[in-house]
Amino acid sequence: MPDTMLPTAAEFETYLDSIRRLVREKLIPAEPRLDGQETLPEDLTQLLRDAGLFGISIPTAYGGLGLTMEQQVRVMFEVTRASSVFRARFSTTIGLGSQPILYNGTEAQRLEWLPRMASGEVTASFALTEPEAGSDAGGLRTTARREGDDFVINGTKRYITNARQADVFIVMARTVEGTRDASGISAFIVPAGTPGLSCGAADKKMGQDGSATSEVYFDEVRVPASALIGGREGGGFKTAMRGINHARLHVAVTCVGQAQRLLEEALSYTMNRRQFGQALAEFQLVQAQLADSRSELLAGRSMILETARAFDAAGEAQGPIVADIACCKLFCSEMAGRVADRALQLHGGMGYMHGTVVEQLFRDVRLFRIFEGASDVQRLLIGKTMVAEAKRA
């Protein structure tokens, strides 16, 4: 894999400033347009393309910005102060879509797909979850049988982000019959429009308006053997985890960005809302809730930055930091829920009204404790890692 040409410190800070302006001047003002939408309007999607956000995790050799993980999370801290729907439009491309190809694909696969992902020409979607296989990836039932120089895929995927907007799918399918573990799973690159591939209607969710999910159906979908990521059967779970670990850390970042916005909204409201002759923010119990939120935000931001630096130092040897990534995802997703609850409470009845920022974010952030590995799954991963480390000591 070609080396990444990193931007200089000055270049990166200039880029970060441009992202702050984009969020402040374009994305936050456009948030009311997302209400009731299936996906992000094209003009807003183009803003994300123009800002290079589809390519932040892709090396410059393949047309991306080549940012380190630490730089990526600093960018995403800023982007996710706006609605998390903006982030959702390109998140599957920079993580679950591109990283499996980048680290486990063949050079031909990288050259074919990564430049178009980096430019935003191609939206990638990641198809792992199924009606009976979510946290239990070993229960995956989608199959891919070998027929000569082709594979034929059959199965159903569920809750697939950007499926209806996707140009290509990274698909996990079982290539070894009779297996129940990860060893029989392989990963495939399946272009949208391939005969037999179809998507269901957009799911109706309690939040995340403007970020579509849907079921994806594979009915005798025939792809060439060259679509097998890395050209090797049985490596699908390893391929998936490379993207999942990247995505989990980015979800943690998103939680911090959303919590930061919620705290800003809460502080502004309590500074301007008056009760008993003074601003709400002057009451000590209100200040205590604001203080708790700021403290938790600092903890979340700090642990993400430390883990991102460890991610960069580890390179392709991600094993030792997988549990730390899970810690970030667990803590920050739970933290965002607490900050959202406090922010809504501080707004009183106004916070419960549809159309307010805190009401929308309150519903949006609830998802983060579920997807990319629910909180209890993260706890299991962390605990098992600790026991295994103690046994090796």
Side-chain angles (χ1 to χ4, degrees):
M1 187 177 67
D3 292 335
T4 299
M5 295 176 59
L6 298 177
T8 66
E11 289 171 340
F12 175 71
E13 292 300 330
T14 298
Y15 178 65
L16 197 58
D17 283 341
S18 74
I19 296 299
R20 292 190 184 104
R21 289 195 302 273
L22 173 67
V23 171
R24 181 177 64 249
E25 298 173 7
K26 300 291 185 180
L27 302 189
I28 289 178
E31 287 175 342
R33 295 176 56 191
L34 306 179
D35 191 32
Q37 296 298 307
E38 175 185 325
T39 190
L40 203 64
E42 178 58 26
D43 63 314
L44 298 179
T45 302
Q46 190 59 46
L47 290 177
L48 306 179
R49 294 189 187 104
D50 293 343
L53 290 168
F54 279 82
I56 60 175
S57 66
I58 297 174
T60 54
Y62 300 111
L65 298 186
L67 302 186
T68 65
M69 181 56 81
E70 181 180 355
Q71 291 170 333
Q72 290 176 48
V73 301
R74 290 186 62 197
V75 167
M76 295 307 294
F77 281 146
E78 303 298 334
V79 172
T80 56
R81 286 184 58 253
S83 168
S84 59
V85 169
F86 293 107
R87 169 259 181 199
R89 185 60 182 83
F90 62 89
S91 64
T92 52
T93 300
I94 65 173
L96 294 166
S98 63
Q99 300 306 289
I101 296 175
L102 178 62
Y103 285 96
N104 297 96
T106 65
E107 184 63 10
Q109 290 168 341
R110 295 178 191 130
L111 291 171
E112 180 178 3
W113 292 106
L114 294 182
R116 288 190 285 163
M117 289 183 185
S119 69
E121 172 193 346
V122 163
T123 294
S125 193
F126 184 76
L128 170 62
T129 301
E130 298 181 1
E132 297 186 28
S135 298
D136 177 20
L140 185 144
R141 293 189 176 185
T142 296
T143 61
R145 71 176 186 271
R146 187 74 182 250
E147 288 191 356
D149 293 332
D150 297 334
F151 284 91
V152 181
I153 304 174
N154 285 280
T156 298
K157 302 295 184 178
R158 177 170 285 181
Y159 310 136
I160 306 304
T161 301
N162 292 329
R164 291 164 57 86
Q165 292 72 45
D167 301 288
V168 65
F169 293 83
I170 306 301
V171 181
M172 300 297 131
R174 192 170 296 283
T175 51
V176 181
E177 292 186 20
T179 58
R180 267 283 305 174
D181 59 14
S183 64
I185 298 174
S186 301
F188 296 88
I189 303 170
V190 183
T194 301
L197 190 161
S198 61
C199 297
D203 298 324
K204 295 187 181 300
K205 308 185 294 295
M206 68 177 284
Q208 300 281 328
D209 282 6
S211 174
T213 63
S214 70
E215 292 197 337
V216 182
Y217 309 110
F218 299 86
D219 182 8
E220 294 289 292
V221 174
R222 185 175 294 272
V223 295
S226 60
L228 179 65
I229 293 182
R232 300 179 303 276
E233 292 186 43
F237 193 72
K238 176 183 177 182
T239 297
M241 287 309 301
R242 181 72 202 201
I244 288 170
N245 287 328
H246 186 283
R248 282 178 178 168
L249 192 54
H250 272 249
V251 170
V253 175
T254 303
C255 293
V256 168
Q258 295 285 274
Q260 179 65 48
R261 175 73 178 286
L262 282 157
L263 181 55
E264 291 168 0
E265 294 288 334
L267 179 59
S268 176
Y269 184 81
T270 57
M271 291 288 289
N272 290 287
R273 176 78 164 117
R274 299 184 66 80
Q275 289 285 291
F276 303 103
Q278 61 182 336
L280 286 177
E282 298 296 334
F283 291 95
Q284 288 183 333
L285 287 178
V286 170
Q287 292 177 4
Q289 293 190 64
L290 295 171
D292 284 346
S293 293
R294 177 167 175 168
S295 299
E296 289 194 280
L297 262 170
L298 178 60
R301 182 182 294 268
S302 299
M303 69 191 297
I304 288 170
L305 285 169
E306 178 174 333
T307 303
R309 294 176 188 124
F311 188 104
D312 290 330
E316 295 191 34
Q318 295 294 304
I321 64 164
V322 168
D324 289 345
I325 292 172
C327 288
C328 291
K329 204 278 181 180
L330 170 63
F331 177 83
C332 292
S333 62
E334 297 284 339
M335 175 272 293
R338 291 190 292 270
V339 172
D341 191 67
R342 294 184 196 114
L344 193 151
Q345 189 74 14
L346 290 173
H347 276 71
M350 181 60 69
Y352 200 66
M353 296 296 105
H354 181 73
T356 61
V357 172
V358 293
E359 182 269 344
Q360 180 66 59
L361 295 185
F362 181 89
R363 289 187 287 114
D364 287 348
V365 301
R366 184 60 182 87
L367 177 64
F368 299 137
R369 290 152 61 189
I370 300 171
F371 84 154
E372 307 300 356
S375 290
D376 286 335
V377 171
Q378 306 305 319
R379 292 185 177 100
L380 288 173
L381 191 159
I382 296 162
K384 287 180 179 178
T385 301
M386 292 173 68
V387 170
E389 290 173 344
K391 288 180 178 178
R392 291 195 299 267

